[in-house]
């Protein structure tokens, strides 16, 4: 089974709709992240959370909100979707130990906003 | 100014060739460094961490130059399966910053 899962894997929605992307992990990591990826722009951080009570805005948080329901779950919401939120969304986790801690990514959610 | 900059390529090389990618970072407080590999429409996966003294993993060698603030990745004896996008990643205060990636195609 995958360590980091995302649902749904693909989603088509209309402008103005509210949608939620969900992420779950079995790695036991404290830290979770949401990114979006657009052609030519690389991965950009939307929100991140270092534990259940910690939520932080990333580079491009406008138009998004998140919820850290448990250590293993981190959801991303688009309150009112717009076409320029069409992108590939990745959830990631990392541990918080010392040294070179790395990120592990979910398989991604492809979102199309019409 | 972007935290991490990479030449997007594409690099098209024949099988067996040696290819090198460079990446520059702007923040001298950057703490840790990585190369990730991303196959088309898939999630990024860690290729290797980059240590100050440089490190090697099989055909892959990573180097870090803190004075000049750049990171390199060398791939020797390229295989068809090396075709992918290579992402340079820098960690600053527990946040990860990604380059836009360098595209590599290995040609038979």
């Amino acid at each position: 089974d995958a360590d980091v899962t995302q649902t749904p894997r693909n989603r088509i929605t209309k402008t103005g709709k509210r949608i939620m992307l969900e992420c779950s992990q079995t790695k036991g990591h404290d830290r979770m992240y949401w990114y979006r990826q657009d052609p030519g722009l690389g991965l950009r951080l939307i929100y991140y959370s270092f534990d259940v009570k910690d939520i932080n805005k990333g580079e491009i948080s406008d138009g998004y909100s998140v919820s850290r329901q448990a250590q293993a779950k981190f959801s991303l919401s688009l309150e009112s979707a717009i076409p320029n939120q069409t992108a590939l969304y990745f959830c990631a986790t990392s541990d918080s130990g010392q040294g070179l801690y790395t990120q592990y990514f979910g398989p991604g959610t492809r979102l199309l906003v019409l | 100014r972007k935290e991490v900059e990479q030449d997007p390529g594409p690099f098209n090389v024949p099988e067996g060739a040696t290819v090198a990618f460079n990446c520059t970072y702007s923040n001298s407080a950057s703490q840790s460094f990585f190369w990730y590999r991303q196959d088309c429409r898939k999630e990024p996966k860690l290729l290797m961490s980059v240590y100050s003294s440089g490190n090697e993993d099989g055909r892959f060698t990573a180097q870090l130059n803190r004075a000049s603030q750049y990171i390199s990745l060398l791939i020797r004896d390229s295989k068809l399966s090396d075709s992918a996008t290579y992402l340079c990643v820098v960690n600053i205060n527990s946040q990860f910053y990604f380059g836009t990636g360098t595209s590599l195609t290995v040609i038979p």
Side-chain angles (χ1 to χ4, degrees), chain B residues 11-99:
Chain B
F11 286 67
N12 299 311
V13 303
E15 270 187 291
T18 295
V19 61
F21 306 138
N22 289 325
C23 162
T24 59
Y25 60 95
S26 60
N27 192 329
S28 61
S30 299
Q31 295 155 311
S32 50
F33 310 88
F34 310 89
W35 284 101
Y36 277 71
R37 170 192 170 128
Q38 186 174 26
D39 293 293
C40 187
R41 304 170 78 81
K42 297 280 185 73
E43 72 272 25
K45 293 185 178 179
L46 178 68
L47 178 65
M48 57 196 304
S49 303
V50 186
Y51 301 107
S52 295
S53 55
N55 49 297
E56 186 174 307
D57 182 2
R59 298 181 293 107
F60 299 85
T61 301
Q63 296 280 351
L64 168 63
N65 185 318
R66 284 190 181 271
S68 301
Q69 296 185 194
Y70 80 79
I71 308 150
S72 64
L73 177 67
L74 183 76
I75 305 175
R76 292 181 299 278
D77 188 22
S78 298
K79 310 291 185 190
L80 296 178
S81 57
D82 293 335
S83 297
T85 296
Y86 291 83
L87 306 174
C88 176
V89 184
V90 169
N91 182 286
I92 307 169
N93 296 327
S94 302
Q95 289 192 50
F96 294 83
Y97 295 88
F98 289 76

